[in-house]
Amino acid sequence: MTIDPPTNDLMDRRTALLGLGGLAGAGTLLAGGSASASVLSQPSLGFDRATGEYALPELPYAYDALEPHLDAQTMEIHHARHHAGYVRGLNRAVRALRDIREGRGEIGLVKHWSREVSFHGSGHVNHTLFWFGMKPESDGGGGFPSGRLAEQIDRDFGSFAQFAAHFKAASAAVEGSGWGWLVWDPIGRSLLVIQGEKQQDMMMTGVVPLLGVDVWEHAYYLRYQNRRAEYIDAFMRVIDWPEIGRRFQAATA
């Protein structure tokens, strides 16, 4: 799926996300103005305006398409169960907060349900970025970035090899469950590699996530067991660098 240009529907989508309280992934991703708002589209996030609820987006490839690097069974469980669970949790939390606002819920539970929005909503957005940031190696996945993104990587990390070593080391060293991220810092006008814990913790406010690798055990354990670094090496073989480049262009426009 390609990145959609900003539309009225997309801006409605942006408003809806920010109204949820600024999800760690989505809030920073969409808070940078109309340019960065085009990084994620309403269709790719599976938001149904008729029902006002989120839906699990379909993958742009088959579950076995990323073999041998990411196995089909893990992909199916990860998408159809784990990601689907975050979507259900997000919808449940949004409904609960709406009920509280309209006098049908307990006001003392605002803190609980707000945290549920942050966790499940960030899980939904993070996974969407993850799925749509990959493609089969046979279709051009892996390799190297090009154009402005490649130039920025060379400027900020010294070389692609130095970036890759930094990204893989940071991702492998995440404590517990979480993510490794390549992000754009619009204040420093530079790329950064950061760690994220759970779905939303440790995300630097204001940055735009470009590339994320899920290092929760459910993302790799069936094939790689506890060999997280080996899984991250495999992930590098299926990155859709043209897509990451489009996200970078949108974030820096």
Side-chain angles (χ1 to χ4, degrees):
M1 179 177 291
T2 57
I3 298 173
D4 295 342
T7 64
N8 290 336
D9 283 352
L10 179 55
M11 298 311 292
D12 289 345
R13 175 73 183 82
R14 176 174 182 263
T15 302
L17 273 176
L18 296 178
L20 295 179
L23 310 182
T28 53
L29 180 68
L30 297 175
S34 60
S36 60
S38 66
V39 175
L40 282 176
S41 69
Q42 188 169 1
S44 71
L45 274 178
F47 184 75
D48 187 337
R49 294 189 67 198
T51 64
E53 293 196 341
Y54 299 82
L56 182 69
E58 294 184 6
L59 298 188
Y61 39 72
Y63 286 131
D64 63 356
L66 303 182
E67 293 269 13
H69 308 297
L70 303 185
D71 64 282
Q73 185 179 17
T74 296
M75 288 289 292
E76 182 173 5
I77 293 172
H78 195 174
H79 175 255
R81 299 186 191 178
H82 290 282
H83 188 175
Y86 297 130
V87 173
R88 289 193 298 271
L90 173 58
N91 286 328
R92 182 169 59 248
V94 170
R95 287 194 299 268
L97 288 170
R98 181 188 61 215
D99 287 346
I100 290 171
R101 289 193 303 272
E102 296 176 356
R104 296 189 301 273
E106 184 180 341
I107 192 69
L109 292 177
V110 165
K111 180 178 180 179
H112 166 74
W113 289 116
S114 295
R115 288 183 171 183
E116 289 289 286
V117 166
S118 181
F119 176 75
H120 291 287
S122 294
H124 178 34
V125 175
N126 293 351
H127 281 85
T128 301
L129 286 167
F130 180 59
W131 306 131
F132 289 92
M134 297 186 289
K135 68 179 177 180
E137 189 175 28
S138 60
D139 192 31
F144 305 92
S146 61
R148 287 187 55 237
L149 176 58
E151 294 171 1
Q152 191 75 41
I153 286 175
D154 287 344
R155 195 197 82 170
D156 294 335
F157 297 100
S159 67
F160 178 78
Q162 290 180 191
F163 153 73
H166 183 173
F167 181 79
K168 290 192 288 185
S171 301
V174 170
E175 294 182 357
S177 299
W179 295 75
W181 288 104
L182 171 66
V183 302
W184 171 249
D185 172 19
I187 298 174
R189 303 296 294 175
S190 63
L191 295 168
L192 299 172
V193 168
I194 63 176
Q195 296 175 322
E197 291 181 358
K198 296 191 291 187
Q199 303 290 4
Q200 77 282 19
D201 292 350
M202 295 176 59
M203 200 67 171
M204 179 177 171
T205 300
V207 299
V208 181
L210 303 176
L211 170 69
V213 58
D214 187 347
V215 293
W216 288 61
E217 286 188 345
H218 64 238
Y220 60 88
Y221 203 82
L222 290 181
R223 171 158 293 185
Y224 297 100
Q225 287 81 52
N226 65 337
R227 303 188 306 276
R228 180 187 281 183
E230 187 177 334
Y231 154 72
I232 296 167
D233 283 336
F235 168 78
M236 301 294 289
R237 303 285 295 273
V238 294
I239 294 174
D240 185 349
W241 281 114
E243 168 66 14
I244 307 308
R246 285 189 287 272
R247 295 176 184 177
F248 174 70
Q249 293 275 45
T252 58

